[in-house]
Amino acid sequence: MTVSEKNIMNSDHHQFMELALIEAEKAFSANEVPVGAVLIDQERNILSAAYNQTISKHDPTAHAEIAALRKAGQKIKNYRFVNTTLYVTVEPCIMCMGAIIHSRISHVVFGTPDPKWGAAGSLYSFQNDTRLNHQPRITEGIYKDQCRQLMVDFFKEKRL
């Protein structure tokens, strides 16, 4: 990969993570844990954008990543997302990494790690388990401080 290709990719990462942060802010405003996700295809078209809604939907599976996958599946009429990239503000959990692997997402880009639930390098590293039939590539740390601060502010507000 050339320096120019890396710069374009890094620019894309920032652009799409900014959109994921907007989704996370929607969650924050809705009194949901502020996690946002955006799924794009290989041509950089947005397939879906979503945020956590576990509380409002009374659904423990209504994480931003799962909601983004459900929306994208309906849009493209498929459950496989080969050659796609998922941008998410917080490292995916075990459930979400399972869905990511099952759906064949090629690349996951996340903002801040989740040492308590993370399954993309913090607590577990599902992407490195060769016993599974798919291993997505992982990029972490895009807008890490902003993603982390949103979580810190949310839980600080909850404690007050």
Side-chain angles (χ1 to χ4, degrees):
M1 188 178 302
T2 67
V3 171
S4 177
E5 287 172 325
K6 284 182 183 177
N7 287 339
I8 289 169
M9 207 165 74
N10 195 35
S11 171
D12 282 352
H13 287 339
H14 284 88
Q15 173 190 351
F16 292 114
M17 188 59 78
E18 286 171 6
L19 296 175
L21 274 163
I22 290 168
E23 293 298 312
E25 289 167 359
K26 290 178 187 176
F28 191 111
S29 295
N31 206 27
E32 297 276 358
V33 176
V35 179
V38 174
L39 183 65
I40 66 165
D41 66 16
Q42 63 188 355
E43 287 84 31
R44 298 181 180 93
N45 297 309
I46 296 172
L47 298 176
S48 63
Y51 59 91
N52 270 9
Q53 295 181 57
T54 57
I55 298 165
S56 61
K57 290 191 174 193
H58 313 289
D59 180 356
T61 69
H63 288 200
E65 300 95 323
I66 302 297
L69 296 181
R70 287 177 176 155
K71 286 181 179 181
Q74 292 301 308
K75 182 175 184 173
I76 68 169
K77 304 294 183 221
N78 201 336
Y79 67 103
R80 297 281 194 235
F81 304 112
V82 178
N83 298 319
T84 60
T85 301
L86 179 67
Y87 291 85
V88 61
T89 55
V90 177
E91 179 182 1
C93 71
I94 297 165
M95 174 183 67
C96 293
M97 277 301 287
I100 287 163
I101 290 165
H102 279 292
S103 66
R104 308 301 193 273
I105 289 174
S106 303
H107 189 188
V108 176
V109 179
F110 68 86
T112 190
D114 186 348
K116 292 184 179 182
W117 290 99
S122 290
L123 189 59
Y124 299 100
S125 296
F126 282 16
Q127 74 281 4
N128 294 328
D129 192 333
T130 57
R131 296 170 299 176
L132 301 172
N133 64 347
H134 178 69
Q135 291 81 37
R137 191 170 45 125
I138 303 294
T139 300
E140 65 176 280
I142 306 297
Y143 285 125
K144 178 181 180 179
D145 294 338
Q146 293 91 326
C147 294
R148 181 185 173 285
Q149 194 59 53
L150 200 53
M151 295 291 282
V152 167
D153 291 347
F154 178 79
F155 286 108
K156 184 186 289 183
E157 191 175 287
K158 286 288 179 196
R159 286 190 290 275
L160 297 176

